[in-house]
Amino acid sequence: MIRTLQPDAAIFQDGGPDVRWSGNENGLTNRKSEWSTLPYNTDFYGNPADPATAADRVLRVPGYNTAADLGSDAILGQQTNGSSSWKLLRWNPGECDGRLQAPSWFWGKDARPVPLDTLKNMYLNSVGKNCQLLLNVAPDNTGQFPDDAVSRMKEFGDWIRSVQVKISAKASAHDDEGTSHTRGNLPRNVLDTDDATAWQPTATTGNLVLNLHGAKTFNVVNLQENIQVGQRVSSFAVDAWVGDSWKEVGNGTTIGYRRLLKLPNPVTTIKLRLRITASRALPPAISTLSVHQDGDMRINLAYDKPATQSSTLQAGTEASKAVDGNTNGSFSSGSVTHTSDKPLDANPWWQVDMGKPQSVGTIELSNRTDCCSNRLRDFYVFASDTPFTSTDPEATKNQPGVWSSYQTDAVGQKLTLPVGRDARYIRVQLVGSDRPLSLAEVKVFG
């Protein structure tokens, strides 16, 4: 009936048929790579999936919607007895559902809009990661949207409309040395407003240079593929021209309909380079390359600086994960630190060396979010010009020249602490030996 009466409607459910649930209700995807083409074997009830009717059926997402990998080459290429393990593939992009108001999906007297920063994070990690954003706004008991909700929606809309950096009409794009493009798919196509036109290298890898015709400052790079020919990019990097050479300023995996790559720090440059480092089967088709500012142009002094911790649980949970610029708190994202849990450390700690004493205004901790966030409680944050001489938190607190802040309660998603002094070394340390320490990111701002 829906297909007959509303043929253009997109139907949402865990497994489609048109768009699928992202796996959480936080308005974002926790996956590092978000593919729109997924493999299927069964329908929602466990019956064998039928390619003839799959376009109109809810199918069961392999590994369920919360899985860290739904559509990579490794998943699609799985075989059983020498043949594909899958009955069919279907274009099934993700949809991220989130709430404008907290603490419930429905209005209540205690309902308040979530902070604007929360909505920005939703947008960057849903629309900006090849998903759709479904934002729930609850009317009050009069059937109207509350004034504070309307104001917050306007702020959110104003922010979305303001992020793109205006570049000169004289801006241009060209193939990098060693790259050529396919017929008709010209470099300049990334600068038009038509997402059906694209630059396409002749190989599955290739480089494109964007000349901005004047220095521009930005901290987000906007990329789009022409999905009318499919989703192909599996890894890419972005370089900025710094001084007299290229410097990598960010990288990612999938692009799809849209990728908003948040850079670890703002960049000022006259040109940037997109490097497609891997694509699926065929040359990619890049329809858009532009630069944005998301409003947070602070410099993170801790980014990519040497970090250590009391122990490391396993590969992929090293101390460096908290200074990689990625605030995704889901453990499956591969960007969360974790100290040993067998055995547990006594007073587990994490620290970063910023190379020299610098003026520190605030320290921002991003916590693990998929579970276990209550582990980050009863802890110290230390700052010092000189190295810490003890792993005992009481001794460190009393070390001459050390600034400290003790936090009793569990941290939610993020904690910001005012510091207001010079420091070279920052340490986060739990008190006790009953739990490991996990951090998504530690940012230090001047």
Side-chain angles (χ1 to χ4, degrees), residues 119-135:
L119 296 175
K120 292 178 181 179
N121 187 56
M122 282 187 194
Y123 190 84
L124 291 171
N125 289 286
S126 57
V127 176
K129 281 193 173 180
N130 190 39
C131 292
Q132 304 299 310
L133 173 60
L134 174 62
L135 186 62

Side-chain angles (χ1 to χ4, degrees), residues 54-94:
D56 296 319
R57 295 288 186 270
V58 177
L59 302 182
R60 183 171 292 177
V61 175
Y64 195 56
N65 300 66
T66 55
D69 184 0
L70 295 180
S72 70
D73 288 353
I75 296 293
L76 266 58
Q78 289 179 3
Q79 294 190 349
T80 302
N81 298 325
S83 299
S84 174
S85 298
W86 310 109
K87 292 185 178 298
L88 60 91
L89 301 179
R90 186 171 71 178
W91 184 263
N92 213 180

Side-chain angles (χ1 to χ4, degrees), residues 57-365:
R57 295 288 186 270
V58 177
L59 302 182
R60 183 171 292 177
V61 175
Y64 195 56
N65 300 66
T66 55
D69 184 0
L70 295 180
S72 70
D73 288 353
I75 296 293
L76 266 58
Q78 289 179 3
Q79 294 190 349
T80 302
N81 298 325
S83 299
S84 174
S85 298
W86 310 109
K87 292 185 178 298
L88 60 91
L89 301 179
R90 186 171 71 178
W91 184 263
N92 213 180
E95 181 171 279
C96 303
D97 52 322
R99 292 165 286 187
L100 180 82
Q101 296 125 307
S104 172
W105 287 96
F106 303 99
W107 180 82
K109 292 182 179 179
D110 60 343
R112 296 291 182 273
V114 299
L116 181 59
D117 282 348
T118 298
L119 296 175
K120 292 178 181 179
N121 187 56
M122 282 187 194
Y123 190 84
L124 291 171
N125 289 286
S126 57
V127 176
K129 281 193 173 180
N130 190 39
C131 292
Q132 304 299 310
L133 173 60
L134 174 62
L135 186 62
N136 181 79
V137 184
D140 62 21
N141 56 354
T142 69
Q144 302 179 79
F145 293 126
D147 290 343
D148 57 358
V150 173
S151 296
R152 186 54 41 84
M153 283 190 286
K154 183 180 185 305
E155 291 174 347
F156 188 32
D158 289 344
W159 173 79
I160 292 172
R161 288 183 287 271
S162 71
V163 294
Q164 184 162 354
V165 175
K166 293 181 180 179
I167 61 175
S168 170
K170 296 180 180 180
S172 60
H174 64 83
D175 295 322
D176 194 20
E177 183 177 353
T179 296
S180 57
H181 57 269
T182 59
R183 184 177 180 179
N185 296 304
L186 308 174
R188 68 169 179 261
N189 289 346
V190 301
L191 293 169
D192 64 25
T193 57
D194 186 354
D195 59 12
T197 66
W199 164 76
Q200 184 178 60
T202 56
T204 55
T205 60
N207 302 344
L208 177 73
V209 176
L210 178 61
N211 293 300
L212 299 172
H213 197 73
K216 295 293 179 180
T217 300
F218 54 92
N219 68 339
V220 176
V221 176
N222 176 45
L223 294 161
Q224 291 183 279
E225 289 185 72
N226 175 12
I227 58 172
Q228 295 182 40
V229 299
Q231 182 185 1
R232 299 174 180 175
V233 176
S234 55
S235 67
F236 68 93
V238 175
D239 304 328
W241 187 258
V242 179
D244 58 0
S245 63
W246 290 110
K247 177 184 178 182
E248 183 176 313
V249 293
N251 60 73
T253 56
T254 50
I255 295 176
Y257 163 69
R258 194 174 191 191
R259 181 64 184 263
L260 293 167
L261 179 68
K262 176 69 178 286
L263 305 181
N265 275 319
V267 170
T268 300
T269 187
I270 59 171
K271 57 183 177 180
L272 67 155
R273 179 173 67 181
L274 170 65
R275 287 185 288 120
I276 304 298
T277 52
S279 294
R280 174 178 281 177
L282 295 170
I286 305 300
S287 62
T288 302
L289 172 58
S290 59
V291 294
H292 293 204
Q293 289 182 1
D294 73 348
D296 183 5
M297 303 302 287
R298 298 172 297 171
I299 301 295
N300 177 11
L301 304 173
Y303 170 67
D304 206 27
K305 295 298 191 297
T308 54
Q309 58 189 8
S310 54
S311 64
T312 298
L313 175 67
Q314 62 189 40
T317 63
E318 298 85 359
S320 60
K321 299 298 182 180
V323 288
D324 62 359
N326 186 352
T327 60
N328 191 330
S330 174
F331 189 79
S332 63
S333 71
S335 184
V336 177
T337 71
H338 201 300
T339 58
S340 172
D341 58 5
K342 292 181 181 178
L344 289 163
D345 297 343
N347 307 310
W349 54 267
W350 175 96
Q351 72 179 43
V352 62
D353 177 359
M354 297 187 295
K356 62 182 180 180
Q358 304 193 59
S359 177
V360 175
T362 58
I363 297 173
E364 184 178 284
L365 306 182

